[in-house]
Amino acid sequence: MCAGVESELPGACPHCGMPLQCAGDGGDTEEARELRDLSWRLALAALLAVTVMLLGMLGGHAMTAGGAHWPRWAAGVMATVAVFVAGWPLLTRAARSWVTLRLNMFTLIGLGVAAAYGFSAVALLLPGLFPAAMRGDHPPPVYWDAATMIVALVLLGQVLEARARRRTGDAIRALMELAPLRARRLLADGSVEEVPLADVRAGDRLQVRPGDRVPVDGAVVSGVSAVDEAMLTGEPLPVNKRAGDKLTGGTLNGNGALAMRAERVGAETVLAQIVALVSQAQRSRAPLQSLVDRVAAIFAPATIIIAVLAFAAWMHWGKEPRLAQALVSAVSVLLVACPCALGLASPMSVMVGVGRGARRGILFRDAAALQSLAEVTLVALDKTGTVTSGRPRMVRVMAGAGANEAEVLQTAAALEFSSAHSLAAAIVTGTCELGLAIPPAQDFVSEAGGGLRGRVGGRAVVLGHGRFMKRHGVEPPDNALRATVERVETQGASVVWVAADRRVLGAIAVADTIKSDARAAVQELRALGVELLMLTGDHSAAAQIVAKAAGITRSEAGLDPRAKAARIAALRAEGARVAMVGDGINDAAALAGADASLAMGAGTDVAKQTAGIVIVGNDLRAVPAAIRLSRAVRRNIRQNLLWAFGYNLLGLPLAAGALVPLTGWQLSPMLAAAAMSISSVAVVANALRLRAEKIG
């Protein structure tokens, strides 16, 4: 949709003629209706176009049977249905372009259809209007096949675009589903009532049960729990929450019960603002289509002027029969100018490029995503799940005095085996990978907001972070072990202390490590001439460590979703063409606001539905491969456009009769229609070359 164009009702853009896109989340029904409407029109037009062409091959221009020109009449009826039933939306858009004087590609399409159909209708119904010299022994020629084929080809492009446009609403709906439909409001007498989320007001006290999503933005009043805020920060580790800590709507509560005070509700919540950002950024058009429209705005009146001049010139200077010569010239010009090849130039390259990308594990959502990626000058990478694996791994075991690493690991794994925490999975997996047996645990207790307790081998075992250990009478020693732990924590790792019978056995460090292909992907991106920047909600120390390990020289940390989106907007304002690569809900607004957006396949559904490109299999090296493919498609589209424009620039003077004074030869309407088809075939053949493109 063109910028600044809005309407309360569905319809076509008055500037470019393309359908308007629904701005909110309620457009799925309208988009489905539009797709169904275009699909049956395409099926009808394609069937009629093939039938009309077969009739032409059987002799539809001159064959007679029992004195009746039945193939011409049959083809005429079918062409009428194709043009005025299947192609009615195209005709209305062409007519509107003349009414508003906003000439576009549909103007040229309308001219081509009108020329082919109008000439054929007169030739069929009123053949006597044509001079005898033009008719000869046969009726005047008809061009029903050209009219029907134009309609079918244009409708094919419209259906493909409608399918892509409908998918853009999926991200909005997925984001809104994160917020629960109802909230549990705490009343003054201590009872709880369930109310619709829309009825929650700022200042209400709400109950958040274990496993529930936080309904709105607010603060903890009472209770302790670990809350999964990956949708905001992208970090895999839950964040401990207690009285006074902030909560964000849509985040997932852990195994503790919380009471909270609502502070921001409705459109003021962080989640609602992310939805608004995604919705606003998704209403866009492919840039090359805008170029075609600008050219069409000039080309349409130029074509009419050339047709009129050709008609007038041959009526004045031509030899008898002048009318025949003038009509042939004018109709040939209008047929040659029909932009079928121009309309196919971009869609065909995009379709083949999308297929080539799919074989590499790169899924493009639409033409705009594929075309815009070719122009990026800066790639912004999310940290967790994009540059890193997104799954915590055990990176170090530190034994205290009188203990060894195996004892520390086995003691911790015994309790962690019964825990659902992400750190527990990392410790248990690490223990198993080392081939150590995990002893059984008794009296297992998981305390919200801290750690675990239980008995292992007859000893009372406690494990968790430093504050949790102190609450249970275990003081981490002020010695070399503590110094090592503090150094490891400054490097971005999370540390779990392990104690038995109030004696510290040691500590285990868990961290999110970079992907094995991260450095290679960074090197390939640099070779493509793009700048790199890592954006993360994590703290600065962790960000710098990951960036250095991956070979990224620029990183910015501590960014929430709005800050990420604002940073992307600022980079674009500075003149950079930005591609955002992310995997989390926290990246959705930044993905939607970038010039090009790529989501990792192992990421959240919201990220994948927001991004224009999805990397299947979580392969970071697919990012430079996608850029190579996008640039190859852009190059192919430019070649197609050059051919399409070149065909028109060469065909117009030939159709107008420029060679008649020199050679006596002129491009007839029949040859003009054939040349139009050959031009389209050439564009398709060139686009198919992309299937063999090497992208890495």
Side-chain angles (χ1 to χ4, degrees):
M1 189 181 73
C2 298
V5 177
E6 295 183 0
S7 173
E8 294 183 359
L9 299 175
C13 173
H15 296 174
C16 65
M18 302 303 292
L20 296 176
Q21 182 175 350
C22 295
D25 66 303
D28 184 56
T29 302
E30 176 59 33
E31 289 163 358
R33 186 204 62 78
E34 178 196 353
L35 181 57
R36 286 194 301 270
D37 181 71
L38 288 172
S39 296
W40 76 258
R41 291 179 188 276
L42 170 61
L44 176 62
L47 176 63
L48 294 174
V50 171
T51 307
V52 169
M53 289 183 66
L54 289 175
L55 286 174
M57 293 171 62
L58 293 172
H61 292 293
M63 182 187 295
T64 61
H69 303 289
W70 68 269
R72 295 160 57 86
W73 281 94
V77 172
M78 294 180 188
T80 300
V81 175
V83 170
F84 292 100
V85 178
W88 183 251
L90 309 181
L91 298 181
T92 57
R93 294 176 194 178
R96 187 176 185 183
S97 71
W98 288 110
V99 173
T100 60
L101 294 180
R102 298 276 190 177
L103 305 186
N104 49 53
M105 201 175 81
F106 288 98
T107 313
L108 292 172
I109 291 169
L111 286 175
V113 172
Y117 182 86
F119 185 93
S120 301
V122 174
L124 181 67
L125 300 174
L126 301 170
L129 293 180
F130 293 89
M134 184 176 181
R135 289 182 277 123
D137 297 331
H138 302 286
V142 291
Y143 306 103
W144 304 121
D145 50 355
T148 55
M149 188 56 66
I150 292 171
V151 171
L153 288 173
V154 175
L155 284 174
L156 174 61
Q158 293 295 292
V159 167
L160 294 174
E161 183 165 347
R163 287 178 178 173
R165 212 169 42 245
R166 186 185 178 192
R167 289 196 300 268
T168 62
D170 293 345
I172 305 292
R173 287 181 284 277
L175 277 170
M176 297 189 70
E177 288 173 0
L178 290 174
L181 297 177
R182 303 180 69 82
R184 296 175 59 83
R185 183 158 55 195
L186 292 168
L187 303 180
D189 60 2
S191 61
V192 178
E193 66 170 350
E194 281 201 7
V195 296
L197 190 63
D199 291 346
V200 176
R201 298 290 181 265
D204 285 351
R205 289 167 58 91
L206 307 174
Q207 181 189 64
V208 186
R209 296 175 300 182
D212 284 353
R213 288 198 177 273
V214 177
V216 296
D217 295 358
V220 177
V221 175
S222 63
V224 178
S225 184
V227 177
D228 183 355
E229 294 186 333
M231 62 162 282
L232 291 176
T233 65
E235 298 311 307
L237 305 181
V239 179
N240 296 323
K241 299 289 184 178
R242 60 185 68 250
D245 291 340
K246 297 294 183 181
L247 293 173
T248 304
T251 54
L252 183 63
N253 186 27
N255 55 6
L258 296 173
M260 66 172 291
R261 180 181 61 256
E263 295 179 345
R264 291 194 299 271
V265 300
E268 297 180 355
T269 65
V270 171
L271 183 59
Q273 291 172 16
I274 294 175
V275 169
L277 287 171
V278 174
S279 176
Q280 178 181 357
Q282 282 186 334
R283 299 195 298 274
S284 60
R285 293 191 70 220
L288 279 175
Q289 185 59 47
S290 299
L291 170 63
V292 171
D293 289 338
R294 289 196 299 269
V295 172
I298 300 173
F299 194 59
T303 297
I304 296 174
I305 292 172
I306 293 172
V308 171
L309 290 177
F311 182 88
W314 288 113
M315 285 296 294
H316 183 72
W317 289 297
K319 298 178 181 180
E320 292 297 341
R322 294 179 180 178
L323 177 60
Q325 183 70 51
L327 283 173
V328 167
S329 297
V331 172
S332 296
V333 166
L334 293 176
L335 277 177
V336 164
C338 185
C340 282
L342 192 61
L344 286 173
S346 174
M348 279 306 303
S349 297
V350 169
M351 282 191 296
V352 178
V354 166
R356 178 67 185 89
R359 295 203 306 272
R360 175 60 177 84
I362 305 166
L363 303 181
F364 293 94
R365 184 174 295 275
D366 53 28
L370 183 58
Q371 293 175 12
S372 60
L373 185 61
E375 302 170 357
V376 301
T377 59
L378 185 148
V379 174
L381 298 163
D382 171 53
K383 180 178 76 69
T384 305
T386 302
V387 178
T388 68
S389 64
R391 294 183 299 275
R393 292 182 58 85
M394 188 177 69
V395 294
R396 187 168 181 178
V397 181
M398 297 157 282
N404 56 53
E405 294 181 0
E407 181 186 3
V408 174
L409 266 180
Q410 289 176 301
T411 303
L415 289 185
E416 297 285 20
F417 189 80
S418 300
S419 173
H421 199 283
S422 56
L423 289 182
I427 293 173
V428 171
T429 300
T431 304
C432 293
E433 288 176 349
L434 292 174
L436 298 174
I438 300 178
Q442 296 82 35
D443 303 330
F444 172 82
V445 176
S446 175
E447 294 192 12
L452 308 175
R453 293 186 291 112
R455 301 190 68 82
V456 179
R459 296 187 297 178
V461 176
V462 179
L463 61 90
H465 56 68
R467 292 190 304 273
F468 179 81
M469 304 297 282
K470 290 180 180 179
R471 288 204 305 270
H472 289 276
V474 179
E475 183 72 28
D478 190 10
N479 56 14
L481 175 60
R482 185 166 186 167
T484 302
V485 167
E486 291 175 351
R487 185 169 61 253
V488 169
E489 286 180 326
T490 62
Q491 295 173 352
S494 297
V495 174
V496 176
W497 289 92
V498 184
D501 291 336
R502 297 193 177 185
R503 181 176 69 89
V504 173
L505 298 179
I508 302 171
V510 176
D512 189 13
T513 57
I514 70 166
K515 293 179 179 177
S516 58
D517 58 359
R519 287 195 68 88
V522 167
Q523 292 173 358
E524 290 183 33
L525 287 168
R526 283 213 179 90
L528 290 172
V530 298
E531 296 182 61
L532 291 171
L533 172 65
M534 191 179 75
L535 304 176
T536 179
D538 205 352
H539 55 81
S540 180
Q544 291 175 5
I545 292 167
V546 171
K548 183 178 180 181
I552 302 172
T553 56
R554 295 174 58 194
S555 66
E556 297 181 17
L559 302 177
D560 62 19
R562 285 173 291 183
K564 277 189 179 182
R567 191 69 186 98
I568 295 295
L571 290 168
R572 295 182 66 192
E574 293 169 5
R577 301 284 295 178
V578 182
M580 176 67 194
V581 186
D583 75 311
I585 296 171
N586 61 304
D587 301 318
L591 287 166
D595 295 291
S597 52
L598 302 93
M600 308 308 292
T604 63
D605 289 340
V606 171
K608 288 183 284 188
Q609 291 166 356
T610 302
I613 305 160
V614 176
I615 305 300
V616 179
N618 227 31
D619 178 11
L620 194 58
R621 294 186 67 178
V623 175
I627 294 177
R628 291 191 195 96
L629 177 59
S630 181
R631 291 178 178 178
V633 171
R634 180 181 62 178
R635 184 168 58 249
N636 193 269
I637 291 174
R638 288 175 174 174
Q639 293 167 351
N640 286 344
L641 290 175
L642 180 62
W643 168 261
F645 284 128
Y647 153 80
N648 280 310
L649 292 176
L650 178 63
L652 282 174
L654 294 179
L659 294 182
V660 172
L662 300 176
T663 65
W665 180 83
Q666 181 183 13
L667 186 67
S668 69
M670 188 178 301
L671 289 176
M676 177 190 70
S677 300
I678 292 172
S679 176
S680 299
V681 170
V683 166
V684 172
N686 186 52
L688 290 176
R689 295 191 306 110
L690 287 169
R691 293 187 299 182
E693 188 73 27
K694 294 182 179 180
I695 59 176

